[in-house]
Amino acid sequence: MADEVEQALRRVRSGTTARKLETSTLDFKQASGKLKDTLVNLSEAAVCFANATGGTLVLGVADDIAGPAGIVGTSMDPDTVRHGIYERTTPSLDVVVTRLTFEGVDLLRVDVPEGIEVVSTSTGRYCWRRGTDCPPMTAEDVGRLREERRGEDWSSRSSRVAAGVADPSALVRVRELLQAVPTDGATALRASDDRELLSGLGLLTARGRLSNAGVVLLGRREASAQPEIVYQHRKAASGEADTILHLHGPLLVAMQRLLEAIELRLTATPLNLTGGQQLQVQDFPMAAVREAVMNAVAHGDHRTGRPIQVEHSPDWLTITSPGPLVAGVTPENILRHPHRARFRSLFGALRHLGLVEQVGLGVDRMYREMLRVGRNPPRITEDRDQVSVTFVSDQPNMRVARYVNQLGPERRDDLDVLLILAVLRRRRSVAASAVASVIQRSLDDTQALLRRLAEGEAAVLEPTQGTAHRRQPNYRLRGPVLAELGSAVAYHRAPSDERDRKIVEHVQEYGSINNRTVQNLFDVDVHRGSAILRELVERGVVIRTSEQTRGNAVRYSPGPEFPVSARRRRER
């Protein structure tokens, strides 16, 4: 965090207001006129961080003043601040306060650890850090966080429901899943009777009752019960739903029906790779969708009684689970935060069934499946009531898919590499400070990664000439990488005038052109080829002249706005 604080202070000095630089783990404060007011303000901010993932307060920086004048400094004593926060929090927070001098101005840095217990101010106010805000916590928020921090597991508690209430269809599904798990233990469980099966999965209590996890995954449901999952499909993103499924019954069975409903409505785009390989790219990669569904099942707060909601259209697919992210996990650190299960017993049963991994690689896989074919990663959002994962059905990019496919397995599967490539497809160069938040690593780790990707024969990056001498240079894609990615790079596309010239010359010589020819001329995929031809038709440069209306073979000939000189040369 030391580099992040120093980097932020430099940006304040250079003209950015401190408020714009605050993050979920960094906050700037200015001393009030009265010592007591300052300590109350700092104590509330410390409580806010302690009930989230911890963070750093910097005292002596104005929120809304840019430039050197924004670094106002402070004369407060570190021990006064440390004791003031200790006395004004319950249980008392022991923060680390150090003096920090920036360009001759004295500041205080307050490092707040993540709380072991839920923390409040001495006046009983509970709050937590959400993005850059510090909203109050509800009684439900406090109770949930207290259970998670004490290691209490609701899913392992007795539901007081007899083991015989397990749904037969769910038990059949359990045995189907165990058949695909290649361990002796799974084979033995599959062959055991129902009671031994439930016990082996950790879904029975010592008194032979189903645990809450057992009821969630396998328990029978009344016909009038709330559905476990609600699925809506629309043929257009803003249209009426043409399919609404209320999936009742055990969650394990409802989940399988959901995945079948989604996969039934997916379409695939063929991408031709090097070496004659062909890749079928779905609207939404099913591997990524499956991981998002499993995350909703494994980490959703099933105590709320609210269903998992899925909205599906050709343009986007959103999976929303009840409850916030597990304590300590945020959208800004979800790729790097150590795996933490909300309900250990429930998660353990899913792991035995081969549906989740102990190390929690699901989010990484969601990102990787989208980035490998040139799409944007999923968007993860959270509020206190729910978590949503949204996939956007961007067109797959053939150039990116080809390039990633020919990388060695280490880099092809390296999420950091894929994220950096995605950034540099949009920006000519980046420094570690611009990439760190994207890959969710520290500045030092990000700088080391960029340096590693610029070394050796297989280097994909290089420092820009004007910044190579800096401690944190700007990096750009190397020439050979740019050449391979071609039109997949936003700033590397052929100018429209040059593109028009090539198309006009082809039509002059051959009388017409089709999509397949456009793809070959500019090395673009079928969708980009269609867009180029559609633009030329709208401008009147060409018109469709074949009876065929769809496909690569549709032919286009000179239109009313086709260059006159070119038309005359062709007529001669």
Side-chain angles (χ1 to χ4, degrees):
M1 175 64 80
D3 276 350
E4 282 87 342
V5 171
E6 186 178 344
Q7 181 81 15
L9 290 171
R10 286 201 206 100
R11 292 183 65 186
V12 171
R13 179 200 59 195
S14 299
T16 304
T17 59
R19 186 184 300 279
K20 293 181 179 179
L21 300 173
E22 292 177 345
T23 69
S24 60
T25 57
L26 178 63
D27 197 4
F28 293 98
K29 295 293 181 184
Q30 183 177 1
S32 304
K34 296 181 179 179
L35 174 62
K36 180 181 177 181
D37 292 342
T38 299
L39 293 176
V40 167
N41 187 18
L42 290 174
S43 298
E44 287 190 359
V47 166
C48 193
F49 276 141
N51 286 332
T53 60
T56 297
L57 301 166
V58 180
L59 180 63
V61 181
D63 264 351
D64 297 316
I65 302 175
I71 304 174
V72 297
T74 181
S75 60
M76 289 188 68
D77 178 68
D79 285 340
T80 300
V81 171
R82 186 170 69 84
H83 288 301
I85 292 175
Y86 187 88
E87 292 170 354
R88 289 170 174 79
T89 52
T90 306
S92 298
L93 279 174
D94 191 6
V95 300
V96 177
V97 185
T98 53
R99 191 171 297 284
L100 169 67
T101 301
F102 180 76
E103 297 188 350
V105 180
D106 287 337
L107 308 170
L108 288 184
R109 172 186 173 133
V110 183
D111 288 305
V112 183
E114 181 176 348
I116 298 173
E117 272 280 0
V118 186
V119 184
S120 73
T121 65
S122 56
T123 59
R125 183 173 187 267
Y126 290 90
C127 53
W128 54 1
R129 190 78 168 178
R130 286 292 178 263
T132 58
D133 296 325
C134 192
M137 299 173 71
T138 66
E140 183 182 12
D141 295 331
V142 173
R144 183 189 292 116
L145 183 57
R146 180 171 288 127
E147 282 196 5
E148 291 178 14
R149 289 194 167 171
R150 291 179 178 177
E152 298 174 4
D153 183 6
W154 169 85
S155 72
S156 68
R157 297 175 192 161
S158 174
S159 66
R160 300 182 181 178
V161 173
V165 179
D167 190 285
S169 64
L171 292 172
V172 169
R173 180 62 184 150
V174 165
R175 288 187 164 87
E176 290 173 350
L177 291 168
L178 287 172
Q179 189 172 12
V181 179
T183 65
D184 293 340
T187 302
L189 268 181
R190 183 169 174 268
S192 62
D193 63 31
D194 291 350
R195 193 176 187 84
E196 289 179 350
L197 175 64
L198 294 170
S199 179
L201 293 173
L203 300 177
L204 280 188
T205 66
R207 296 189 176 184
R209 300 286 182 177
L210 280 177
S211 65
N212 286 325
V215 171
V216 167
L217 293 176
L218 309 175
R220 289 195 184 104
R221 302 293 194 274
E222 298 293 334
S224 59
Q226 176 90 340
E228 303 302 310
I229 301 172
V230 177
Y231 170 78
Q232 297 186 63
H233 180 268
R234 293 176 172 82
K235 291 181 179 178
S238 58
E240 293 287 331
D242 65 297
T243 301
I244 301 178
L245 301 177
H246 291 84
L247 302 176
H248 294 265
L251 188 53
L252 204 61
V253 176
M255 178 189 70
Q256 181 64 19
R257 291 175 59 198
L258 169 66
L259 292 172
E260 291 170 354
I262 294 173
E263 192 161 20
L264 181 67
R265 292 166 175 82
L266 294 182
T267 59
T269 300
L271 287 182
N272 295 317
L273 304 177
T274 53
Q277 293 177 286
Q278 189 177 77
L279 182 66
Q280 295 292 327
V281 181
Q282 294 171 307
D283 305 333
F284 309 100
M286 199 59 204
V289 172
R290 189 174 291 108
E291 292 296 342
V293 170
M294 284 313 312
N295 267 274
V297 171
H299 300 299
D301 192 346
H302 303 293
R303 293 170 294 190
T304 67
R306 299 197 307 272
I308 295 169
Q309 300 271 357
V310 180
E311 297 189 39
H312 183 185
S313 78
D315 299 322
W316 44 259
L317 188 150
T318 298
I319 298 164
T320 301
S321 55
L325 290 166
V326 178
V329 180
T330 69
E332 293 76 31
N333 71 10
I334 196 167
L335 295 175
R336 309 301 169 198
H337 196 282
H339 176 254
R340 183 182 294 177
R342 170 174 278 125
F343 301 129
R344 295 187 305 279
S345 179
L346 174 66
F347 189 88
L350 294 171
R351 182 170 55 84
H352 282 308
L353 295 173
L355 294 173
V356 296
E357 298 180 50
Q358 184 64 47
V359 291
L361 298 175
V363 176
D364 287 35
R365 188 170 291 123
M366 283 188 256
Y367 271 64
R368 196 178 293 114
E369 291 294 327
M370 297 292 282
L371 291 166
R372 276 175 175 164
V373 291
R375 287 173 163 160
N376 289 318
R379 184 172 67 251
I380 299 174
T381 56
E382 175 201 30
D383 61 32
R384 62 163 37 107
D385 295 320
Q386 61 188 29
V387 176
S388 295
V389 178
T390 299
F391 300 95
V392 178
S393 181
D394 308 309
Q395 291 295 345
N397 191 294
M398 178 174 60
R399 299 299 293 264
V400 175
R402 283 178 179 171
Y403 178 72
V404 170
N405 187 65
Q406 58 86 34
L407 289 174
E410 288 186 5
R411 287 190 173 174
R412 183 167 59 235
D413 296 330
D414 189 326
L415 181 56
D416 288 338
V417 173
L418 295 176
L419 284 166
I420 289 170
L421 285 174
V423 172
L424 283 170
R425 285 176 52 215
R426 300 188 301 271
R427 300 177 58 175
R428 291 181 182 274
S429 66
V430 292
S433 57
V435 179
S437 62
V438 176
I439 65 175
Q440 298 183 9
R441 292 193 183 277
S442 69
L443 269 177
D444 286 344
D445 288 347
T446 303
Q447 178 58 38
L449 173 64
L450 292 171
R451 189 182 302 114
R452 177 169 59 83
L453 292 177
E455 294 173 346
E457 294 182 1
V460 296
L461 307 181
E462 62 184 9
T464 61
Q465 188 172 359
T467 67
H469 65 283
R470 296 180 186 171
R471 189 165 63 91
Q472 291 185 0
N474 285 1
Y475 288 88
R476 64 190 176 196
L477 295 172
R478 294 183 69 239
V481 179
L482 272 175
E484 289 193 57
L485 289 174
S487 58
V489 178
Y491 48 87
H492 198 251
R493 291 176 181 161
S496 58
D497 289 348
E498 176 67 12
R499 184 192 65 200
D500 287 3
R501 183 185 65 77
K502 288 185 177 181
I503 290 175
V504 167
E505 287 179 352
H506 182 90
V507 175
Q508 286 173 11
E509 184 170 354
Y510 298 100
S512 64
I513 195 168
N514 60 25
N515 194 322
R516 186 174 290 109
T517 303
V518 172
Q519 293 174 51
N520 292 334
L521 281 174
F522 303 108
D523 199 9
V524 296
D525 60 24
V526 62
H527 304 288
R528 180 62 183 157
S530 296
I532 290 171
L533 287 168
R534 185 164 54 250
E535 180 192 343
L536 291 171
V537 169
E538 290 172 354
R539 289 162 47 200
V541 177
V542 296
I543 56 173
R544 180 171 59 82
T545 53
S546 62
E547 293 184 4
Q548 188 175 353
T549 59
R550 300 185 64 181
N552 283 338
V554 176
R555 306 205 69 79
Y556 297 83
S557 299
E561 299 301 322
F562 193 80
V564 175
S565 58
R567 189 194 302 268
R568 287 174 179 168
R569 282 198 300 272
R570 182 173 172 270
E571 289 172 352
R572 289 200 296 268

